Amino acid sequence: MMEQAQLSTEMAGKVITCQAAIAWTANAPLSIEEVKVDPPKAGEVRIKILSSGLCGTDLHILEGKLRVPFPMILGHEGAGIVESTGDSVTSVKPGDKVLMFPLPECRECSSCLHPKGNLCLKENVLSPNGLMLDGTSRFTCRGKKIYHLYGTSTFTEYTVVHEIAVGKIDAAAPMDKVCIMSCEVPTGFGAVFNTAKVTPGSTCVVFGLGGIGSAVVMACKASGASRIIGVDVNEEKFPRARALGVTDCLNPRKLKKPVQQVVVEMTGFGVDFAFEAVGLIDTMVASLESCHLSYGGVCVIIGAAPSDSQLSFDPMLILAGRTLKGGILGKYKTRDSIPKLVTDYLQKKINIDPLITHKLPFERINEAFELLQGGKCIRCVLSF
């Protein structure tokens, strides 16, 4: 893998032809194709991808659970080097090591200007249209327009991203590791540190022990939680979860009672903090019902439910004092905060290494999806 922050500038302003993994439709393998990547327009950055994490959200899109336009280049956990910039770009320059964020930070809208806001009004996550801010695409293949995912699209050798979704990181950062800090790490850590604000000695339950759930477990342990209950239907994940900090593991399919009832009985009155990292309505309700009744347990929804889903639950669950929360990218202001997390990692203040279980070359991307779908890996990083 190329680690040095040096690139030839001879292609600046020109179309680049490279390899990319294209999802032509849902429920089909990705196709490695030759694509043309346009030069960046004003306010945009073209980036050579060095590594990309494969997130469960990418899998949900391929499974047809989340509505996006096709054909599309997926991927939103990317680390790379700036190849060229469009007019008016000032925060990064060619040769800089950067991360790309599925959630931008324009630093101008009401959300970005609010001290607690991070859902930039220029986001393309809640209702993805697959286009850049000017309503066009920078990718073509076989003469057809190819859509972007969340303004990132990292399953390609080169991509074009808005400057507001790019963060310069330390030149010493190992790119095959820090790419997961574009999504997995801030989503999981932020759910604990920023959204729930887990307290020392508290009890927690984590529904889903995949990539995001594993990051949640690590953050709960770092926050001093006294008990962390992990819930997953795949028991192959249990040994790793215990190594990260889970104290009790539950497989809902092997329980004689609803899992939320078992959690309440295990803890006496329910947990202080519950985290849903699956993306299913049933587990969202179960998470809420697992929370402590009398003094208001906190439930944080992290998983993305299938398109057109509706969450329904007994309002008494809220009236009694429980709190239901959500937050994209862990409520981090992406450009301001995530590069600092990279620095913390380099200074050994945090450790993200256990969250990566597999590394494969980009050409084996379909194998990586099979590992994820089969529950064989927590996070696979693709190297270009």
Side-chain angles (χ1 to χ4, degrees):
M1 178 190 304
M2 186 179 68
E3 281 289 345
Q4 69 273 21
Q6 297 178 356
L7 280 178
S8 171
T9 59
E10 64 182 18
M11 293 305 295
K14 300 178 182 179
V15 174
I16 287 180
T17 300
C18 67
Q19 299 291 304
I22 296 180
W24 291 102
T25 183
N27 298 305
L30 297 178
S31 177
I32 304 295
E33 304 271 2
E34 186 176 89
V35 300
K36 296 185 182 301
V37 184
D38 291 340
K41 295 184 180 181
E44 298 176 356
V45 182
R46 188 160 62 185
I47 299 167
K48 178 176 177 57
I49 303 293
L50 296 184
S51 62
S52 177
L54 200 157
C55 180
T57 299
D58 299 306
L59 177 60
H60 292 333
I61 291 172
L62 274 186
E63 292 174 335
K65 296 177 181 178
L66 301 177
R67 187 181 300 113
V68 301
F70 291 100
M72 172 177 278
I73 296 177
L74 301 179
H76 58 278
E77 281 189 346
I81 294 177
V82 174
E83 177 270 336
S84 61
T85 61
D87 293 341
S88 76
V89 172
T90 59
S91 63
V92 296
K93 65 183 185 303
D96 285 344
K97 282 187 174 182
V98 294
L99 292 181
M100 291 139 278
F101 309 122
L103 186 66
E105 182 189 350
C106 72
R107 297 172 178 164
E108 297 175 347
C109 70
S110 59
S111 179
C112 287
L113 292 175
H114 192 282
K116 296 182 180 180
N118 87 316
L119 190 63
C120 178
L121 298 186
K122 294 182 180 179
E123 58 83 20
N124 193 230
V125 174
L126 297 183
S127 299
N129 63 12
L131 300 172
M132 302 294 282
L133 287 174
D134 67 354
T136 63
S137 170
R138 302 293 171 269
F139 301 123
T140 55
C141 178
R142 303 183 194 173
K144 297 181 179 180
K145 174 175 67 178
I146 306 299
Y147 290 97
H148 299 247
L149 176 65
Y150 305 151
T152 48
S153 289
T154 60
F155 294 163
T156 172
E157 291 179 312
Y158 286 87
T159 191
V160 177
V161 181
H162 294 290
E163 179 185 16
I164 61 175
V166 176
K168 181 181 177 180
I169 59 174
D170 194 301
M175 304 298 265
D176 59 340
K177 294 182 178 180
V178 300
C179 60
I180 66 171
M181 301 187 87
S182 290
C183 175
E184 179 184 13
V185 173
T187 298
F189 284 15
V192 175
F193 299 141
N194 300 334
T195 307
K197 300 185 186 302
V198 170
T199 53
S202 58
T203 55
C204 303
V205 62
V206 182
F207 284 77
L209 297 174
I212 302 299
S214 296
V216 169
V217 169
M218 292 178 68
C220 287
K221 181 178 180 181
S223 297
S226 62
R227 191 173 192 180
I228 305 172
I229 302 169
V231 180
D232 204 293
V233 296
N234 184 356
E235 294 187 10
E236 290 184 15
K237 297 178 181 178
F238 289 173
R240 175 173 291 274
R242 290 183 183 278
L244 294 178
V246 166
T247 56
D248 307 89
C249 294
L250 299 176
N251 181 347
R253 293 177 179 172
K254 292 187 175 181
L255 300 176
K256 296 181 180 180
K257 302 177 182 178
V259 64
Q260 56 267 44
Q261 183 177 342
V262 173
V263 171
V264 169
E265 291 175 354
M266 288 173 64
T267 55
F269 298 95
V271 295
D272 302 306
F273 301 97
F275 300 90
E276 199 280 346
V278 179
L280 296 175
I281 296 301
D282 288 348
T283 49
M284 292 178 182
V285 175
S287 297
L288 183 60
E289 292 180 344
S290 296
C291 290
H292 198 288
L293 172 66
S294 65
Y295 59 77
V298 176
C299 174
V300 180
I301 301 300
I302 309 171
S307 298
D308 298 327
S309 296
Q310 295 291 318
L311 182 60
S312 178
F313 55 86
D314 184 346
M316 291 301 292
L317 292 173
I318 298 295
L319 187 62
R322 297 181 179 91
T323 300
L324 180 63
K325 291 185 173 184
I328 296 178
L329 265 291
K331 291 200 170 184
Y332 283 108
K333 291 182 182 289
T334 50
R335 295 167 70 198
D336 287 346
S337 301
I338 296 179
K340 295 177 182 177
L341 291 179
V342 174
T343 301
D344 286 344
Y345 169 66
L346 294 175
Q347 295 176 350
K348 302 187 183 304
K349 294 179 181 178
I350 60 175
N351 182 22
I352 64 171
D353 293 352
L355 296 174
I356 299 173
T357 57
H358 293 72
K359 293 184 179 181
L360 291 174
F362 170 62
E363 294 78 13
R364 295 169 65 183
I365 187 170
N366 284 312
E367 181 181 338
F369 269 106
E370 291 172 1
L371 288 170
L372 181 61
Q373 191 170 36
K376 303 297 183 182
C377 78
I378 301 300
R379 186 59 106 243
C380 181
V381 169
L382 303 170
S383 297
F384 291 75

Coordinates of all heavy atoms in Angstrom, one line a residue, residues 200-271:
P200 N -19.6 5.9 35.2 CA -18.9 4.8 35.9 C -19.9 4.0 36.8 O -20.7 4.6 37.4 CB -17.9 5.6 36.7 CG -17.6 6.8 36.0 CD -19.0 7.2 35.4
G201 N -19.7 2.7 36.8 CA -20.5 1.8 37.6 C -21.9 1.5 37.0 O -22.6 0.8 37.6
S202 N -22.2 2.0 35.8 CA -23.5 1.8 35.3 C -23.6 0.4 34.6 O -22.6 -0.3 34.4 CB -23.8 2.9 34.2 OG -22.8 2.9 33.2
T203 N -24.8 0.0 34.3 CA -25.1 -1.2 33.5 C -25.5 -0.9 32.1 O -26.3 0.1 31.9 CB -26.2 -2.1 34.2 OG1 -27.4 -1.3 34.4 CG2 -25.7 -2.5 35.6
C204 N -25.0 -1.7 31.1 CA -25.3 -1.4 29.7 C -25.7 -2.7 29.0 O -25.3 -3.8 29.4 CB -24.1 -0.9 29.0 SG -23.4 0.6 29.7
V205 N -26.5 -2.6 28.0 CA -26.8 -3.7 27.1 C -26.5 -3.2 25.6 O -26.9 -2.1 25.3 CB -28.2 -4.3 27.2 CG1 -29.3 -3.2 26.9 CG2 -28.4 -5.5 26.4
V206 N -25.9 -4.1 24.8 CA -25.6 -3.7 23.4 C -26.2 -4.8 22.5 O -25.9 -5.9 22.6 CB -24.1 -3.7 23.2 CG1 -23.8 -3.3 21.8 CG2 -23.4 -2.7 24.2
F207 N -27.2 -4.3 21.7 CA -27.8 -5.2 20.8 C -27.1 -5.1 19.5 O -27.1 -4.1 18.8 CB -29.3 -4.8 20.6 CG -30.2 -5.2 21.7 CD1 -30.2 -4.4 22.9 CD2 -31.1 -6.3 21.6 CE1 -31.1 -4.8 23.9 CE2 -31.9 -6.6 22.6 CZ -31.9 -5.9 23.8
G208 N -26.4 -6.3 19.1 CA -25.6 -6.3 17.9 C -24.2 -6.2 18.2 O -23.7 -5.1 18.7
L209 N -23.4 -7.2 18.0 CA -22.0 -7.2 18.3 C -21.1 -7.2 17.1 O -20.0 -7.8 17.1 CB -21.7 -8.4 19.2 CG -22.4 -8.4 20.6 CD1 -22.1 -9.7 21.3 CD2 -22.0 -7.2 21.4
G210 N -21.5 -6.5 16.0 CA -20.7 -6.3 14.8 C -19.8 -5.2 15.0 O -19.3 -4.9 16.1
G211 N -19.4 -4.5 13.9 CA -18.5 -3.4 14.0 C -18.8 -2.3 14.9 O -18.1 -1.9 15.8
I212 N -20.0 -1.7 14.7 CA -20.5 -0.6 15.5 C -20.7 -1.1 17.0 O -20.3 -0.4 17.9 CB -21.8 0.0 15.0 CG1 -21.6 0.5 13.5 CG2 -22.2 1.2 15.9 CD1 -20.5 1.5 13.4
G213 N -21.4 -2.2 17.1 CA -21.6 -2.7 18.5 C -20.3 -3.0 19.3 O -20.2 -2.7 20.5
S214 N -19.3 -3.5 18.6 CA -18.0 -3.7 19.2 C -17.4 -2.4 19.7 O -16.8 -2.3 20.8 CB -17.1 -4.4 18.3 OG -17.6 -5.7 17.9
A215 N -17.5 -1.4 18.9 CA -17.0 -0.1 19.3 C -17.7 0.5 20.5 O -17.2 1.1 21.4 CB -17.1 0.9 18.1
V216 N -19.0 0.2 20.5 CA -19.9 0.6 21.7 C -19.4 -0.1 22.9 O -19.2 0.5 24.0 CB -21.3 0.3 21.4 CG1 -22.2 0.5 22.7 CG2 -21.9 1.2 20.3
V217 N -19.1 -1.4 22.8 CA -18.6 -2.1 24.0 C -17.3 -1.6 24.5 O -17.2 -1.4 25.7 CB -18.4 -3.6 23.6 CG1 -17.7 -4.4 24.7 CG2 -19.8 -4.3 23.3
M218 N -16.4 -1.3 23.6 CA -15.1 -0.7 24.0 C -15.3 0.6 24.7 O -14.6 0.9 25.8 CB -14.2 -0.5 22.8 CG -13.7 -1.8 22.2 SD -12.7 -1.6 20.7 CE -11.2 -0.9 21.5
A219 N -16.2 1.4 24.2 CA -16.4 2.7 24.8 C -17.1 2.6 26.2 O -16.8 3.4 27.1 CB -17.2 3.6 23.9
C220 N -18.1 1.7 26.3 CA -18.7 1.4 27.6 C -17.7 1.0 28.7 O -17.8 1.5 29.8 CB -19.8 0.4 27.4 SG -21.3 0.9 26.6
K221 N -16.8 0.1 28.3 CA -15.8 -0.3 29.2 C -14.9 0.8 29.6 O -14.6 1.0 30.8 CB -14.9 -1.4 28.6 CG -13.9 -2.0 29.5 CD -13.1 -3.1 28.9 CE -12.0 -3.6 29.8 NZ -11.2 -4.7 29.2
A222 N -14.5 1.7 28.6 CA -13.6 2.8 28.9 C -14.3 3.8 29.8 O -13.7 4.6 30.6 CB -13.2 3.5 27.6
S223 N -15.7 3.9 29.7 CA -16.5 4.8 30.6 C -16.7 4.2 32.0 O -17.2 4.9 32.8 CB -17.8 5.0 29.9 OG -17.7 5.7 28.7
G224 N -16.2 3.0 32.2 CA -16.3 2.5 33.6 C -17.6 1.7 33.9 O -17.9 1.5 35.1
A225 N -18.3 1.3 32.9 CA -19.5 0.5 33.1 C -19.2 -0.8 33.9 O -18.2 -1.5 33.6 CB -20.2 0.1 31.8
S226 N -20.0 -1.1 34.8 CA -19.7 -2.3 35.7 C -20.2 -3.6 35.1 O -19.7 -4.7 35.4 CB -20.4 -2.1 37.0 OG -21.8 -2.0 36.9
R227 N -21.2 -3.5 34.2 CA -21.7 -4.7 33.5 C -22.2 -4.3 32.1 O -22.8 -3.3 31.9 CB -22.9 -5.2 34.3 CG -23.4 -6.6 33.9 CD -24.5 -7.1 34.8 NE -24.8 -8.5 34.6 CZ -25.7 -9.2 35.3 NH1 -26.4 -8.7 36.2 NH2 -25.8 -10.5 35.0
I228 N -21.7 -5.1 31.1 CA -22.0 -4.9 29.7 C -22.6 -6.2 29.2 O -21.9 -7.2 29.1 CB -20.8 -4.5 28.9 CG1 -20.1 -3.2 29.6 CG2 -21.2 -4.2 27.5 CD1 -18.8 -2.9 28.9
I229 N -23.9 -6.2 28.9 CA -24.5 -7.4 28.3 C -24.6 -7.3 26.8 O -25.0 -6.3 26.2 CB -26.0 -7.5 28.8 CG1 -26.0 -7.5 30.4 CG2 -26.7 -8.7 28.3 CD1 -27.4 -7.4 31.0
G230 N -24.1 -8.3 26.1 CA -24.0 -8.3 24.7 C -25.1 -9.2 24.1 O -25.3 -10.4 24.6
V231 N -25.8 -8.8 23.1 CA -26.9 -9.5 22.5 C -26.7 -9.7 21.0 O -26.5 -8.7 20.3 CB -28.3 -8.8 22.7 CG1 -29.4 -9.7 22.1 CG2 -28.6 -8.6 24.2
D232 N -26.6 -11.0 20.6 CA -26.4 -11.3 19.2 C -26.9 -12.7 18.9 O -26.8 -13.6 19.7 CB -25.0 -11.1 18.8 CG -24.8 -10.8 17.3 OD1 -25.1 -11.7 16.5 OD2 -24.4 -9.7 17.0
V233 N -27.4 -12.9 17.7 CA -27.8 -14.2 17.3 C -26.7 -15.1 16.8 O -26.8 -16.3 16.7 CB -28.9 -14.2 16.2 CG1 -30.1 -13.5 16.7 CG2 -28.4 -13.5 14.9
N234 N -25.5 -14.5 16.6 CA -24.3 -15.2 16.2 C -23.3 -15.4 17.3 O -22.6 -14.5 17.7 CB -23.6 -14.5 15.0 CG -22.4 -15.2 14.4 OD1 -22.1 -16.3 14.9 ND2 -21.9 -14.6 13.4
E235 N -23.3 -16.6 17.9 CA -22.5 -16.8 19.0 C -21.0 -16.9 18.7 O -20.2 -16.8 19.6 CB -22.9 -18.2 19.7 CG -24.3 -18.1 20.3 CD -24.7 -19.3 21.1 OE1 -23.8 -20.2 21.4 OE2 -25.9 -19.5 21.4
E236 N -20.6 -16.9 17.4 CA -19.2 -16.9 17.1 C -18.6 -15.5 17.5 O -17.4 -15.4 17.6 CB -19.1 -17.1 15.6 CG -19.4 -18.5 15.1 CD -19.1 -18.8 13.7 OE1 -18.4 -17.9 13.1 OE2 -19.6 -19.8 13.1
K237 N -19.4 -14.5 17.7 CA -19.0 -13.2 18.0 C -18.7 -13.1 19.5 O -18.1 -12.1 20.0 CB -20.0 -12.1 17.6 CG -20.2 -12.0 16.1 CD -21.2 -11.0 15.8 CE -21.5 -10.9 14.3 NZ -22.5 -9.9 13.9
F238 N -19.2 -14.0 20.3 CA -19.1 -13.9 21.8 C -17.7 -13.9 22.3 O -17.4 -13.0 23.2 CB -20.0 -15.0 22.4 CG -21.4 -14.8 22.3 CD1 -22.3 -15.8 22.7 CD2 -22.0 -13.7 21.7 CE1 -23.7 -15.7 22.6 CE2 -23.4 -13.5 21.6 CZ -24.2 -14.5 22.0
P239 N -16.8 -14.7 21.9 CA -15.4 -14.7 22.5 C -14.8 -13.3 22.3 O -14.1 -12.8 23.2 CB -14.7 -15.8 21.8 CG -15.8 -16.8 21.4 CD -17.0 -15.9 21.0
R240 N -14.9 -12.8 21.1 CA -14.3 -11.5 20.8 C -15.0 -10.4 21.7 O -14.3 -9.5 22.2 CB -14.3 -11.1 19.3 CG -13.8 -9.7 19.0 CD -13.8 -9.5 17.5 NE -12.7 -10.3 16.9 CZ -11.5 -10.0 16.8 NH1 -11.1 -8.8 17.3 NH2 -10.6 -10.7 16.2
A241 N -16.3 -10.5 21.8 CA -17.0 -9.5 22.5 C -16.6 -9.5 24.0 O -16.4 -8.4 24.6 CB -18.5 -9.7 22.4
R242 N -16.4 -10.7 24.5 CA -15.9 -10.8 25.9 C -14.5 -10.2 26.1 O -14.2 -9.5 27.1 CB -15.9 -12.2 26.4 CG -17.3 -12.8 26.6 CD -17.3 -14.3 27.1 NE -18.6 -14.9 27.2 CZ -19.4 -14.7 28.2 NH1 -19.1 -13.9 29.2 NH2 -20.6 -15.3 28.2
A243 N -13.7 -10.4 25.1 CA -12.3 -9.8 25.2 C -12.4 -8.3 25.1 O -11.5 -7.7 25.7 CB -11.5 -10.4 24.0
L244 N -13.4 -7.7 24.5 CA -13.5 -6.3 24.4 C -14.2 -5.7 25.7 O -14.1 -4.5 25.9 CB -14.3 -5.9 23.2 CG -13.7 -6.2 21.8 CD1 -14.7 -5.8 20.7 CD2 -12.4 -5.5 21.7
G245 N -14.8 -6.5 26.5 CA -15.4 -6.0 27.7 C -16.8 -6.5 28.0 O -17.3 -6.1 29.1
V246 N -17.5 -7.3 27.2 CA -18.8 -7.8 27.5 C -18.7 -8.8 28.7 O -17.8 -9.6 28.7 CB -19.4 -8.5 26.2 CG1 -20.6 -9.3 26.6 CG2 -19.8 -7.5 25.2
T247 N -19.6 -8.6 29.6 CA -19.6 -9.5 30.8 C -20.6 -10.7 30.7 O -20.4 -11.7 31.3 CB -19.9 -8.7 32.1 OG1 -21.2 -8.0 31.9 CG2 -18.8 -7.6 32.3
D248 N -21.6 -10.5 29.9 CA -22.7 -11.5 29.7 C -23.1 -11.5 28.2 O -23.3 -10.4 27.7 CB -23.9 -11.2 30.6 CG -23.6 -11.0 32.0 OD1 -23.3 -9.8 32.4 OD2 -23.6 -11.9 32.8
C249 N -23.2 -12.7 27.7 CA -23.6 -12.8 26.3 C -25.0 -13.5 26.2 O -25.2 -14.5 26.8 CB -22.6 -13.6 25.5 SG -21.0 -12.7 25.3
L250 N -25.9 -13.0 25.4 CA -27.2 -13.6 25.2 C -27.5 -13.8 23.7 O -27.3 -12.9 22.9 CB -28.3 -12.7 25.8 CG -28.2 -12.3 27.3 CD1 -29.3 -11.4 27.6 CD2 -28.4 -13.6 28.1
N251 N -28.0 -15.0 23.4 CA -28.5 -15.3 22.1 C -30.0 -15.3 22.2 O -30.6 -16.3 22.7 CB -28.0 -16.6 21.6 CG -28.5 -17.0 20.2 OD1 -29.4 -16.4 19.6 ND2 -27.9 -18.0 19.6
P252 N -30.8 -14.3 21.6 CA -32.2 -14.3 21.7 C -32.9 -15.5 21.3 O -34.0 -15.9 21.8 CB -32.6 -13.1 20.9 CG -31.4 -12.2 20.8 CD -30.2 -13.2 20.8
R253 N -32.3 -16.2 20.3 CA -33.0 -17.4 19.7 C -33.0 -18.6 20.6 O -33.7 -19.6 20.4 CB -32.3 -17.7 18.4 CG -32.6 -16.7 17.3 CD -31.8 -17.0 16.0 NE -32.1 -16.0 15.0 CZ -31.4 -16.0 13.8 NH1 -30.5 -16.9 13.6 NH2 -31.7 -15.0 12.9
K254 N -32.1 -18.5 21.7 CA -32.0 -19.6 22.6 C -32.7 -19.4 24.0 O -32.6 -20.2 24.9 CB -30.5 -20.0 22.8 CG -29.9 -20.6 21.6 CD -28.5 -21.2 21.8 CE -27.9 -21.9 20.6 NZ -26.6 -22.4 20.9
L255 N -33.3 -18.2 24.1 CA -33.9 -17.8 25.3 C -35.4 -18.3 25.3 O -36.1 -18.3 24.3 CB -33.8 -16.3 25.5 CG -32.4 -15.7 25.6 CD1 -32.5 -14.2 25.7 CD2 -31.7 -16.3 26.8
K256 N -35.9 -18.6 26.5 CA -37.3 -19.0 26.6 C -38.2 -17.8 26.8 O -39.4 -18.0 26.8 CB -37.5 -20.0 27.8 CG -36.7 -21.3 27.5 CD -36.9 -22.3 28.7 CE -36.1 -23.6 28.4 NZ -36.3 -24.6 29.5
K257 N -37.6 -16.7 27.1 CA -38.4 -15.4 27.3 C -37.8 -14.4 26.3 O -36.7 -14.5 25.8 CB -38.2 -14.9 28.7 CG -38.6 -15.9 29.8 CD -38.3 -15.3 31.2 CE -38.6 -16.3 32.3 NZ -38.3 -15.7 33.7
P258 N -38.6 -13.3 26.1 CA -38.1 -12.2 25.3 C -36.8 -11.7 25.9 O -36.7 -11.6 27.1 CB -39.2 -11.2 25.4 CG -40.5 -12.0 25.6 CD -40.0 -13.1 26.5
V259 N -35.8 -11.3 25.0 CA -34.5 -11.0 25.5 C -34.6 -9.7 26.5 O -33.8 -9.7 27.4 CB -33.6 -10.7 24.3 CG1 -34.0 -9.5 23.5 CG2 -32.2 -10.5 24.8
Q260 N -35.5 -8.8 26.2 CA -35.6 -7.6 27.0 C -36.0 -8.0 28.5 O -35.6 -7.4 29.4 CB -36.5 -6.6 26.5 CG -37.9 -7.0 26.1 CD -38.1 -7.5 24.7 OE1 -37.2 -8.2 24.2 NE2 -39.1 -7.1 24.0
Q261 N -36.9 -9.0 28.5 CA -37.3 -9.5 29.9 C -36.2 -10.1 30.6 O -36.0 -9.9 31.8 CB -38.5 -10.5 29.7 CG -39.1 -11.0 31.0 CD -40.3 -11.9 30.9 OE1 -40.9 -11.9 29.8 NE2 -40.6 -12.7 31.9
V262 N -35.4 -10.9 29.9 CA -34.2 -11.5 30.5 C -33.2 -10.5 31.0 O -32.7 -10.6 32.1 CB -33.5 -12.5 29.5 CG1 -32.2 -13.0 30.1 CG2 -34.4 -13.6 29.1
V263 N -33.0 -9.4 30.2 CA -32.1 -8.3 30.6 C -32.6 -7.7 31.9 O -31.8 -7.4 32.8 CB -31.9 -7.3 29.5 CG1 -31.2 -6.1 30.0 CG2 -31.2 -8.0 28.3
V264 N -33.9 -7.4 31.9 CA -34.5 -6.7 33.1 C -34.3 -7.6 34.3 O -33.9 -7.2 35.4 CB -36.0 -6.4 32.9 CG1 -36.6 -6.0 34.2 CG2 -36.1 -5.3 31.8
E265 N -34.5 -8.9 34.2 CA -34.4 -9.8 35.3 C -32.9 -10.0 35.7 O -32.6 -10.1 36.9 CB -35.0 -11.2 34.9 CG -36.5 -11.2 34.7 CD -37.0 -12.6 34.2 OE1 -36.1 -13.5 33.9 OE2 -38.2 -12.7 34.1
M266 N -32.0 -9.9 34.8 CA -30.6 -10.1 35.1 C -30.1 -8.9 35.9 O -29.2 -9.0 36.8 CB -29.8 -10.1 33.8 CG -29.9 -11.5 33.1 SD -29.0 -11.4 31.5 CE -27.3 -11.2 32.0
T267 N -30.7 -7.7 35.6 CA -30.2 -6.5 36.3 C -31.1 -6.0 37.4 O -30.8 -5.0 38.1 CB -30.1 -5.3 35.2 OG1 -31.3 -5.2 34.6 CG2 -29.0 -5.7 34.2
G268 N -32.2 -6.7 37.6 CA -33.1 -6.3 38.7 C -34.2 -5.4 38.2 O -35.4 -5.7 38.4
F269 N -33.9 -4.2 37.6 CA -34.9 -3.3 37.1 C -34.7 -2.8 35.7 O -35.4 -2.0 35.2 CB -35.0 -2.1 38.0 CG -35.3 -2.4 39.5 CD1 -34.4 -2.6 40.4 CD2 -36.7 -2.5 39.8 CE1 -34.7 -2.9 41.7 CE2 -37.0 -2.8 41.1 CZ -36.0 -3.0 42.1
G270 N -33.7 -3.4 35.0 CA -33.3 -2.9 33.7 C -32.0 -2.2 33.7 O -31.5 -1.8 34.8
V271 N -31.4 -2.0 32.5 CA -30.1 -1.4 32.4 C -30.2 0.2 32.5 O -31.2 0.8 32.2 CB -29.4 -1.8 31.2 CG1 -29.1 -3.3 31.2 CG2 -30.2 -1.4 29.9

